[in-house]
């Protein structure tokens, strides 16, 4: 139960700083996404260390640290900054991976997923952020396709084994990641709905108690008058 309690604690980081059910829904989704991506990055770091690619492992470790900061921002109550930071880090590092590992690794397929995620990271009222990050991701996606198709030799020579591992990691990891994200999207939306229903029920109870108190007060005044 302890790991589950820790997981729940990490997912709920920052919700006490918000009074809005919709904001809490986005916070939980972002935190859940951070935990999933962190596991994915750790797996890639292990692969890079195994194939003795210290520079790539360092880049991936930097990615890990950048993503973890999202939890800190949510803890401070900076929900929009947390979502924007997550989007920026994801776009930047996935673009780097797509270029370094070339199209053979299929890392570029994560860029369309980042486009999709913007609609869960930000609320409909924050449409301008969705437009900004979707546009940046599309431009990065186009840049990856152009750069990787140029007849240039990358300064970094990578072992074929690492490229194959990255390819399989993407082929297996992307569906699993999509399933996990879909599951957590459902979880956060459902939990937000439950919280909204509870808020409405609490409001009804409070209104009934207020009406009852007013009736008792009126009855008290009438009795005193008699």
């Amino acid at each position: 139960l302890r790991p589950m309690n820790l997981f729940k604690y990490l997912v709920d980081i920052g919700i006490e700083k918000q009074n809005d059910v919709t904001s809490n829904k986005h916070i939980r989704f972002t935190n859940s996404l951070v935990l999933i991506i962190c596991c994915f990055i750790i797996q890639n770091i292990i692969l890079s260390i195994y194939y003795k690619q210290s520079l790539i492992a360092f880049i991936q470790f930097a990615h890990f640290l950048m993503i973890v900061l999202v939890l800190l921002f949510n803890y401070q109550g900076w929900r929009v900054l947390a979502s924007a930071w997550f989007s920026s880090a994801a776009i930047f590092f996935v673009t780097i991976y797509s270029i370094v590992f070339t199209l053979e690794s299929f890392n570029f397929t994560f860029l369309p997923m980042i486009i999709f995620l913007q609609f869960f990271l930000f609320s409909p009222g924050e449409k301008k952020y969705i437009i900004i990050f979707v546009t940046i991701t599309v431009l990065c996606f186009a840049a990856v396709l152009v750069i990787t198709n140029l007849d240039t030799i990358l300064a970094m020579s990578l072992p074929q084994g690492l490229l194959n591992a990255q390819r399989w990691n993407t082929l297996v990891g992307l569906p699993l990641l999509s399933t996990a994200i879909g599951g957590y999207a459902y979880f956060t939306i459902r939990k937000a709905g439950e919280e909204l229903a509870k808020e409405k029920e609490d409001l009804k109870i409070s209104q009934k108690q207020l009406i009852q108190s007013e009736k008792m007060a009126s009855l008290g005044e009438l009795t005193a008058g008699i």
Side-chain angles (χ1 to χ4, degrees):
L1 292 175
R2 287 182 179 178
M4 290 303 297
N5 290 337
L6 175 62
F7 184 79
K8 184 180 183 302
Y9 170 77
L10 293 174
V11 168
D12 288 343
I13 284 178
I15 62 171
E16 68 280 355
K17 300 292 179 77
Q18 306 286 339
N19 295 320
D20 180 43
V21 173
T22 302
S23 295
N24 288 341
K25 177 184 71 175
H26 290 287
I27 288 172
R28 285 195 178 99
F29 179 77
T30 307
N31 289 343
S32 301
L33 196 57
V34 166
L35 297 178
I36 295 169
I37 299 298
C38 281
C39 293
F40 204 66
I41 295 172
I42 290 170
Q43 176 184 264
N44 284 325
I45 291 174
I46 293 171
L47 278 172
S48 298
I49 292 174
Y50 176 80
Y51 285 101
K52 300 178 181 178
Q53 298 298 312
S54 56
L55 179 57
I56 294 178
F58 175 78
I59 293 172
Q60 291 167 337
F61 183 68
H63 187 188
F64 177 83
L65 293 179
M66 294 282 280
I67 291 294
V68 168
L69 283 175
V70 172
L71 297 177
L72 176 62
F73 293 148
N74 273 331
Y75 176 76
Q76 294 294 333
W78 305 330
R79 184 190 67 78
V80 176
L81 175 60
S83 296
W85 186 272
F86 178 88
S87 298
S88 301
I91 294 167
F92 176 77
F93 283 100
V94 171
T95 301
I96 295 298
Y97 298 149
S98 300
I99 295 172
V100 170
F101 289 112
T102 72
L103 297 181
E104 294 180 27
S105 67
F106 302 131
N107 276 284
F108 68 93
T109 55
F110 286 100
L111 285 168
M113 176 177 281
I114 293 174
I115 294 174
F116 172 73
L117 290 177
Q118 302 310 312
F119 297 91
F120 290 96
L121 293 171
F122 299 100
S123 65
E126 296 156 356
K127 189 183 297 183
K128 61 179 180 180
Y129 296 108
I130 298 175
I131 295 171
I132 289 171
F133 286 107
V134 166
T135 303
I136 293 172
T137 309
V138 170
L139 292 174
C140 287
F141 184 72
V144 166
L145 296 179
V146 170
I147 293 172
T148 52
N149 280 292
L150 292 175
D151 293 329
T152 56
I153 300 175
L154 293 175
M156 189 180 301
S157 179
L158 300 175
Q160 188 61 41
L162 179 57
L163 291 174
N164 292 336
Q166 282 290 321
R167 184 187 298 115
W168 282 107
N169 196 17
T170 303
L171 289 173
V172 176
L174 188 62
L176 290 177
L177 190 60
S178 301
T179 302
I181 289 171
Y184 279 112
Y186 172 77
F187 165 75
T188 52
I189 291 170
R190 180 180 176 182
K191 194 159 187 177
E194 291 174 354
E195 287 183 352
L196 184 60
K198 186 176 183 301
E199 272 191 10
K200 288 181 178 178
E201 186 63 28
D202 291 342
L203 182 61
K204 286 181 181 179
I205 293 173
S206 298
Q207 289 175 338
K208 286 181 180 179
Q209 289 176 343
L210 181 61
I211 292 171
Q212 188 66 25
S213 297
E214 289 177 349
K215 285 182 177 178
M216 293 300 293
S218 299
L219 182 61
E221 289 178 2
L222 179 62
T223 305
I226 295 173

